[in-house]
Amino acid sequence: MDALSNLIFADATAPFAKAKFVIFGAPYDGTSCFRTGSRWAPNAIREASYNFETFIAACGVDLAEVPFCDMGNINAGLDREELFREVQETSARISKSKKIPIMLGGEHSLTHPAFVGLGRKLKLVVLDAHLDLRDEYMGAKHSHACVSRRIVETIGKENIILIGIRSGAKEEYEFAEENGILYYSADRLNSEGLGGVMRALGGIRGSVYLSIDMDAMDPAYAPAVSTPEPFGLTPSHVRAIIQKVAPKVAAMDVLEIVPQYDTGNTAILGAKLVREFIASASSKHRPK
Ligand code: MN
Ligand code: MN
């Protein structure tokens, strides 16, 4: 962990031992192909987190009363294999302590080591514009563009739900069809609403890893991402999904923000989604 920075996520003031949620940053963007720079996102999200009130009105929860902490950033000076190992170990350590890890990326490939570190066969719910089902991309099997494929290989095709999809190679769509991978396109959600997704999420048994690639949302709302894709979800869609699935979530991440393309909106939205998640997961009275 990077002990030099004093910057922590707003209100993440609990000691580790007492925290129910543990934030950590993974500043890695080694396979980003279009816009690099998501390694700067963990601290940009932290800075943005100070914009908000501690009271989350939608859930009736005051984050000042929820014990959570921020471990800082994993040292980005390491090579990819070492960095992934450290992400995996950090995820494992938090999870073994019966706490919920919240990873601030960094790029989407980080979800794989964070997921593996939990050591359990969770369901994976991914919000993403992209299928990320390539077997390899630009010679790399660990690329951000392959992350859902890698996790499908680990947990099986029946244990993944992709939401917000509107981009992929023809082969990725064929792979999804041939393997019966459940995905909801952004077009479908924008025309039909969230009913089908909500039913699918409501039917999940067991625990969930919730992975939020910020490009799931339309670039109008989240412009500063590595690979922006028009015709996306709204932040309200994403918040409703978070509220629905939060009680089942054992780990979550927020990824792919590239701060140097931001006027602040994307990092603010990322920080708000983390805060909404913590509040939703802590609330006994969920919003309808
Ligand atoms: Mn992705
Ligand atoms: Mn994406």
Side-chain angles (χ1 to χ4, degrees):
M1 293 292 154
D2 179 4
L4 295 175
S5 172
N6 292 321
L7 179 63
I8 62 162
F9 194 91
D11 309 306
T13 53
F16 182 88
K18 294 206 168 140
K20 288 186 178 161
F21 306 87
V22 179
I23 293 169
F24 68 98
Y28 174 73
D29 58 5
T31 80
S32 294
C33 49
F34 186 61
R35 292 168 168 177
T36 58
S38 64
R39 67 185 180 279
W40 304 111
N43 284 354
I45 295 168
R46 290 186 177 102
E47 284 175 13
S49 68
Y50 285 86
N51 177 49
F52 302 109
E53 299 282 356
T54 61
F55 184 62
I56 308 293
C59 306
V61 169
D62 197 323
L63 291 183
E65 295 165 3
V66 177
F68 66 106
C69 72
D70 182 346
M71 294 174 74
N73 289 339
I74 283 169
N75 189 338
L78 306 173
D79 71 25
R80 186 197 66 81
E81 282 187 26
E82 279 186 55
L83 184 114
F84 274 33
R85 203 174 307 126
E86 205 169 317
V87 167
Q88 189 173 323
E89 284 169 6
T90 301
S91 176
R93 181 183 158 208
I94 297 168
S95 180
K96 276 181 191 146
S97 308
K98 310 265 184 251
K99 306 169 190 307
I100 296 176
I102 300 174
M103 178 170 68
L104 309 178
E107 58 160 71
H108 208 170
S109 62
L110 292 158
T111 298
H112 188 251
F115 187 96
V116 171
L118 300 174
R120 290 191 278 154
K121 260 201 160 188
L122 303 172
K123 312 269 182 188
L124 180 66
V125 175
V126 186
L127 278 65
D128 202 328
H130 306 92
L131 285 165
D132 289 351
L133 286 171
R134 281 182 160 92
D135 186 35
E136 65 169 58
Y137 189 58
M138 297 170 83
K141 288 225 168 203
H142 56 76
S143 166
H144 65 96
C146 310
V147 65
S148 291
R149 179 76 169 260
R150 291 290 87 80
I151 296 176
V152 164
E153 289 167 354
T154 308
I155 59 171
K157 61 197 179 189
E158 66 283 1
N159 289 315
I160 187 166
I161 302 177
L162 306 171
I163 303 169
I165 299 300
R166 55 198 184 278
S167 175
K170 187 160 171 272
E171 301 78 48
E172 290 177 272
Y173 277 97
E174 286 168 356
F175 179 86
E177 298 299 334
E178 285 163 11
N179 289 282
I181 288 171
L182 179 58
Y183 71 88
Y184 293 86
S185 72
D187 283 350
R188 180 172 165 192
L189 301 183
N190 282 325
S191 63
E192 294 177 12
L194 290 176
V197 166
M198 292 305 196
R199 280 191 292 280
L201 295 176
I204 293 177
R205 290 167 184 270
S207 297
V208 167
Y209 186 116
L210 175 63
S211 181
I212 302 179
D213 181 331
M214 289 291 289
D215 66 33
M217 284 168 284
D218 194 88
Y221 305 106
V225 293
S226 181
T227 45
E229 190 69 40
F231 310 115
L233 304 183
T234 68
S236 295
H237 283 143
V238 173
R239 182 174 68 166
I241 289 164
I242 289 172
Q243 289 170 343
K244 181 74 179 175
V245 80
K248 301 173 185 173
V249 170
M252 73 96 78
D253 59 38
V254 172
L255 305 154
E256 295 281 344
I257 294 172
V258 182
Q260 65 266 42
Y261 292 87
D262 208 6
T263 51
N265 294 355
T266 317
I268 283 172
L269 183 52
K272 185 67 171 176
L273 294 179
V274 170
R275 295 174 76 77
E276 291 282 340
F277 165 70
I278 294 171
S280 294
S282 305
S283 172
K284 290 188 181 68
H285 308 285
R286 318 229 94 73
K288 297 277 182 259

